[in-house]
Every structure is written in C-alpha cells, then in structure tokens.
Amino acid sequence: MFSGNKMVLQLLSLLKQYGIRKIVVSPGSRHFVFVHSLEADSFFKLYSVVDERSAAFFALGLMQQTGEIVAVTCSSGTACMNYGSAIVEAYYQHLPLLILSSDRLPQFLNQMEDQMYDQLDTFTNCTKYQGQLPVVNNAFDEWYCNRIINEAFLELTHHGNGPVHLNIPFEAHDTDRFEAKEIPVVRKINISTSSLTSEKWEDYGEQLKGKKVMIVWGQSVAMTKQLEDAVTEFTRNFDAVILTDKISNCHHPRAVTNTTVVWRALRPLERVVLKPDIVISVGANYIFNNELKGYLRPANMKHWQVGKEDKVCDPFRSLTEIFEMEEDFFFRAITANSTFTNEGEYADSWLNISRLPLLPTPDYNELYAIGALMNSLPKNVDLQLANSCTIRMAHFFPTDSSIRVNCNRGVNGIDGSMSTAIGFSADNLRPTFYITGDLSFFYDMNSLWIRHLSSKMRILLINNGGGAVMYGSLNNEMRKTLPPHIGAEHGMSAKGWVESVGFKYLSAHSKEEVDEGVKVLCDITIEQPIILEVFTTINSDIDSIGEYYAKVNRKNYVEKLLSRVRAKAKEILKN
C-alpha cells in the first residue's frame, strides 16, 4: 500500500514515468511517508547509505557506471546540507543527480522549530533547477505540484545534464495510514526537438486524427512566407482554426482576429460544440488571455506548446507536449508525416461566427474616437497601442494586413508605452501611429523630448481625466462617486508640453472635431509630429465597452450553420 498524500503520489507516479528508479536513501523520520511508499513498489531499487555526504557521492558513482538518472533522499535539517560537495561535483561533471530533500512546512522557518533552515536555497548556484513542492490541499495545489515536478525532471537532461533539487514539505511523518492501493498515472510533460523520427511524427499526427484542433497565436512570432505556407498546409490538412488578435500580426485566411468579440457572440451550445480537443500554442501573449483560460481550463483537452521557448508554460493546466523547434519546422513535419485529412467544418464554424459581430457605432466617447482612427488608418503604416482600455477597444475594429500592430503586452503595464512607440518610429520609414490613454501618456511624457522623435509620429490621446479601466469592475452605485485615488483623477491637458517639443496640437470635444482631427492625423504628407487630444468622461468610456458587447448582433446568423452545429451536438451527446 502507498501513502494517500497526493504530493507523494504525484512524485511516485512521475518518478516511474520518467524512468527514475535508483534511489539512494539516508535514514531519518521526516521522509518516512515517501520512502515507505517507494519500498512498496518493486519498480524502485533503493540503496541505503547512512552518511548523506557519502550517499550523494555514491549516487554519482551509480550514474557514472549506468548512465541513468539517480535520486538521493534524506530527512530534514542539516542532512540536506551534507549533499553539497557531491552536488557541486555533479554540476561540473554534468551528471543528472536528483536531490529530494524532505522538510518541515515553510511556515515554520526561522521560528525556532527543530531541524529547520532554508533548504531550498542551499544549492542555488550549483543546480539547474530548484523547486519547492506545495502541501496539496485542493485541485489547484495538485496542478501546481505536478507542474513543479515535471519542470524539475525535464531539467535534469534538458540542454545538457545536471543536478536538480526538489524540497518536499511534510506536516507530519507519523499519521499516514498508507491506504492508497496503487500509484495513479498523472500528467507527464514531454519535450521534443527537431530530431524526432518520422515514426514519432506519425504518432503525433495520429493524435490529431478526427480531432478539433485550435491554434492560439500570440505576439512575437512573425508570419513569414515560409511559416505561412507551412501553417496553410497544416490548417487545411487538420481542419484547424487559429485564434489570435492584432498584436500577433498573424494574417491568415483561417485566423479569427477579433477573438475578444467572438467570445460574446458564441451561444451556449456553440461553446460546448466548438471546444477543442487539442490546443497548439504559438508565440507569447494575447489580449483574450482571461477569456481563453476560463473557456479551456474545464475542458478535457491536450495542450501542445510550439516554438523555441523551452520553459513549461501551462496556462490551461493541460500541457502535455513541448515542441522545442522552429514553428515552421513543426507544422511542416507533422503535416508531411500524416497520411490522412480531417474532414469537417470546425474551422469554418469559428470563421463564420467571427464575421457576424457588427462594428461599434457609439455615441461620443473613447470608443468613438478610437474607431474613427482605426477606420481611417492608411495602408502601410505602423500602429502602437498602450495597455488598458486602449488595446481592448482597438480590437473591435478591423485593420489592413499591411499595418503592423505592437503593444507592450508582456506584463501589461502602462509605463513606457510611448517611449516604445517613439523608439519604434526613430528608425522607421513608415508613419507610426500611437493610441494611448491619459495616465499612460502623462506617466511617460518625458519620452516626447527624445531627440530622435520622428516627424511621422502620430498620437491619439484619450483624456478622460483618470484611469477609466480601474473603475471597470465597480458597480453603477459605486461609480456614482468615483474614488479619486483609484484612477488618479486630474484636470491636466497635454497641450503646453507637446507644443513646446514641436508637435502640431489638435483637440476634440465632439464627434465632428474627432473626425476633423483624424483627417489631419492621417495626412502623412505633413512632415511634423501631430497629436490629437480627445476629451471624454470616465463613465461614458467605461460604459461604451459593455454597451457594445450587449449589442453584438447575431440576427444575421446563417441558419444552415446553426443546424449543423445542433446536429454535431446531438452526435457528440450520443457518443
């Protein structure tokens, strides 16, 4: 029988799945639950060495002789410290030594408890990875525990071999009843490189057979002609849809670029039917992150991560494969090694729905001003977006594929967006347009006196006297008296500063003035930086987003498509 501790069961399961069977055990009581569970499974071969210093060097000898990963495990306190010499040796010999140190709960650290010191940081500069496992009390803890163990075990042999340290907390070592009859098969994350055999590629292709395949395309992966050709073949062969947004600059016939609006357009039945079986993620961040996580986390699906990024990124909590390779290589290889074609209308169903939502037609507010510019942008220009409401509203409007769109979406801060836009424009022959709110603007206003400011710089500044997005979650009653410190209310204007650094200044307080100002902004024959400051109010700007979502019109929905969706739902329910 095995421990019922879910942290221990995760550890046992993944040790077996990664083929780590040799464990050097030093005596102690803190790790009793773990060691006794190891003793209950004949897969594991245990070696008993009393002195932890000798135990770790003993493990090095086992690795030198067998070429296998070897683990060492000890009790809490100074026992762990004694591994140090051998860990340093393993680090410089590039040997995959797995250190499994047991510990008391981290809450007891520095509280005059027995056998407690900071074990996790002991080997900071001589291990490839160090992780603290959590005590598992709920499903979130269990997911996190599984992720940390996978990250650690992958790193043992990833980009060269080396030691890895996991610190394992035990609240008690003498209360476990050992009632688990078997070790569960938990999620294992695999890393593959471009050296995969054709047989393995065929196996991955088979996993896509007859499945609903969704590609989520984030920013920072440019769609080159070579990559576009590979993606086209893949999406055609596997009936795959691409969900993306403007900052990905992914222009493809099978791409849904207004994903934030499409979520609102989906009917309950469609949400069920259109849930993917496999999600393939490419690139970095995207603005529909929260919607997608809420949609996919409850789903029983697999997540494949594709690209040169080799770290575990598990936003949907279902990652099973990391394909560490160029994106175009992945799409070409898996298509070339597949002998079938997915027949279906999965991609078309998404694309048909994405064409339905109407464009916003708001009253005078921030959304109107952003729409006026987005609908008037010339071709072959560049667009920089500030965070918060700006980037959300900009995604309600289409843009030509010749327009590159960028935003500092890595951490979503408002600081430095204008400096980035100025830097982008400094070495750019094309005009650069920048849309920003007032807090982002005033936070970064010193960037406008950078001497490399382009004469083709164009700025649309929405000034509603504060940070509107901060009030978005407040109910109507609370918003009647907006807390002044939450959104940094102010009565400032950009006029004096921008004129002093050489900008042509325009302002607007109505639709008509916005329209006139946008015409000037979009006149790229003017060789002078231009700013249009649009004055609105916080409440009207916040309300405009909700009002638009409420009006997303599905009346033009093709009835034939709806019938197909219903038929597909019945088919799924039967199965």
Side-chain angles (χ1 to χ4, degrees), residues 270-514:
E270 293 163 342
R271 290 179 181 271
V272 174
V273 173
L274 295 179
K275 272 192 176 178
D277 301 310
I278 294 180
V279 171
I280 300 172
S281 62
V282 174
N285 304 281
Y286 36 85
I287 69 162
F288 52 94
N289 185 37
N290 290 332
E291 292 93 337
L292 192 64
K293 288 187 295 189
Y295 182 56
L296 295 181
R297 279 180 183 171
N300 182 20
M301 46 150 266
K302 293 181 179 179
H303 171 203
W304 294 0
Q305 175 183 312
V306 175
K308 296 297 287 184
E309 173 56 53
D310 58 351
K311 302 299 183 185
V312 172
C313 186
D314 190 24
F316 315 128
R317 302 175 189 170
S318 56
L319 181 67
T320 57
E321 307 291 337
I322 298 175
F323 293 90
E324 187 187 343
M325 59 192 69
E326 297 288 348
E327 292 83 4
D328 65 289
F329 183 90
F330 167 82
F331 288 114
R332 281 189 285 106
I334 199 166
T335 305
N337 288 279
S338 299
T339 57
F340 62 88
T341 300
N342 280 352
E343 299 289 345
E345 299 174 343
Y346 183 65
D348 283 343
S349 297
W350 276 102
L351 293 169
N352 285 334
I353 295 170
S354 74
R355 300 184 186 107
L356 296 170
L358 302 178
L359 294 180
T361 54
D363 295 327
Y364 176 70
N365 50 40
E366 177 179 7
L367 184 56
Y368 178 84
I370 290 176
L373 177 58
M374 296 293 291
N375 292 329
S376 303
L377 283 174
K379 293 183 179 181
N380 300 306
V381 300
D382 292 297
L383 176 63
Q384 290 274 337
L385 297 171
N387 271 306
S388 296
C389 291
T390 300
I391 188 170
R392 290 171 174 83
M393 292 182 179
H395 274 79
F396 298 162
F397 304 91
T399 50
D400 187 78
S401 61
S402 67
I403 299 173
R404 293 178 297 181
V405 184
N406 286 282
C407 175
N408 288 348
R409 200 62 187 169
V411 192
N412 307 352
I414 67 169
D415 51 327
S417 294
M418 192 152 63
S419 292
T420 300
I422 299 299
F424 188 97
S425 70
D427 196 25
N428 187 17
L429 297 178
R430 300 180 358 154
T432 301
F433 287 77
Y434 171 58
I435 307 177
T436 181
D438 48 350
L439 289 195
S440 293
F441 178 89
F442 290 119
Y443 194 114
D444 199 21
M445 62 188 291
N446 65 310
S447 63
L448 295 185
W449 73 295
I450 293 175
R451 68 184 63 185
H452 307 290
L453 179 69
S454 170
S455 62
K456 297 182 179 180
M457 189 72 209
R458 304 289 189 264
I459 298 176
L460 172 62
L461 164 61
I462 309 297
N463 189 342
N464 53 24
V469 73
M470 285 75 161
Y471 303 109
S473 59
L474 302 181
N475 59 43
N476 290 333
E477 189 63 30
M478 294 180 68
R479 277 203 266 137
K480 287 179 180 178
T481 55
L482 297 178
H485 293 91
I486 297 300
E489 285 184 30
H490 65 87
M492 305 300 292
S493 168
K495 185 177 188 298
W497 171 242
V498 300
E499 287 183 333
S500 73
V501 292
F503 271 79
K504 179 180 178 64
Y505 175 81
L506 307 168
S507 66
H509 297 80
S510 66
K511 283 186 175 183
E512 293 73 22
E513 290 178 346
V514 166

